[in-house]
Amino acid sequence: MLRSLEVTAVLSELEKVHRDRLFWKPTIQLNLDCFVCERVGRTNTLERGAERAICWSGRDEQHFAAARIAAFDVTNQDDRLALRIVVDFWWAPFKDAKRGTDATPLSNWVRLHYGNYCPLQETSSESSIQTNVRRPTSVYCEGCKTEIGVDAEVPSIRLLV
């Protein structure tokens, strides 16, 4: 059955010089239960515009998964850079092939990538935020080592349908 998740995240207290040069990247990693390999908690890589995701079913094993980014909305207001993503994916109930755990359509982990351009050093860099880190944490420009914002809120994941 087709299910959808909404992921939201915010970087706040953005520093003026870098504010308009900070952006969300179109690639995410999301923890999903995969009915193809029948394993729970698999990391899936999704790219905006791609028709399918990649499920990392083992250390060096991967396969395509029926998931895609259906919406990717960015809001840049004042000192906040907000992101809203909707992920559509196919889900079916199963028991984990290794542990016997029941699958669930709700994810509990996401990694979101952002990039920035440093006007002072004329360099670009990228980093990421994810659900399972301590907060608040500072966001730094790799070029000039300036604190350019704060990751204060845990990205939220909500099952829509």
Side-chain angles (χ1 to χ4, degrees), residues 11 22-25 112-115 125-129 139:
L11 295 176
L22 185 64
F23 57 93
W24 292 106
K25 299 202 52 106
L112 305 164
H113 301 268
Y114 62 89
S125 62
E126 63 180 72
S127 191
S128 64
I129 64 170
V139 173

Side-chain angles (χ1 to χ4, degrees), residues 116-159:
N116 84 293
Y117 175 76
C118 178
L120 306 173
Q121 296 293 317
E122 297 183 353
T123 59
S124 60
S125 62
E126 63 180 72
S127 191
S128 64
I129 64 170
Q130 60 192 50
T131 50
N132 61 337
V133 296
R134 294 178 84 188
R135 288 185 169 72
T137 186
S138 296
V139 173
Y140 290 93
C141 172
E142 293 296 318
C144 65
K145 309 300 184 211
T146 301
E147 181 179 338
I148 60 174
V150 176
D151 173 17
E153 300 175 35
V154 176
S156 72
I157 305 169
R158 185 171 65 110
L159 187 61

Side-chain angles (χ1 to χ4, degrees), residues 43-59:
T43 298
N44 282 257
T45 300
L46 296 100
E47 181 85 26
R48 185 175 65 193
E51 292 298 321
R52 55 191 176 183
I54 297 174
C55 173
W56 296 90
S57 56
R59 266 197 172 173

